[in-house]
Amino acid sequence: MQGERRNYYLLSVIDVYSRKILDWLFQGSIRQVDLINLFRRINRSHELKGVILRNDNGSQQETAR
């Protein structure tokens, strides 16, 4: 974030069939518990049983300070 001199991370979960973003996080850090809670929220509105998860391993780039 400009002026804060720190990084923020965006994690989005996308349905590859409909291309809709089901839920997302935008935070200074994303911990394991944050991911678990994200999938719990998604599971309330979309049945996740039998779902295959794909991960693009993201792009995390540190900027020079």
Side-chain angles (χ1 to χ4, degrees), residues 11-55:
L11 170 66
S12 56
V13 177
I14 303 172
D15 179 337
V16 294
Y17 178 75
S18 69
R19 305 298 296 162
K20 287 177 142 181
I21 294 178
L22 302 178
D23 206 340
W24 55 275
L25 292 172
F26 183 67
Q27 301 176 172
S29 67
I30 298 176
R31 300 167 298 154
Q32 180 180 6
V33 68
D34 299 322
L35 182 63
I36 291 167
N37 290 331
L38 175 76
F39 279 107
R40 284 182 177 154
R41 286 195 310 266
I42 293 171
N43 192 47
R44 285 187 213 129
S45 56
H46 300 82
E47 179 63 39
L48 293 180
K49 185 177 180 180
V51 168
I52 297 172
L53 298 175
R54 289 191 216 170
N55 178 358

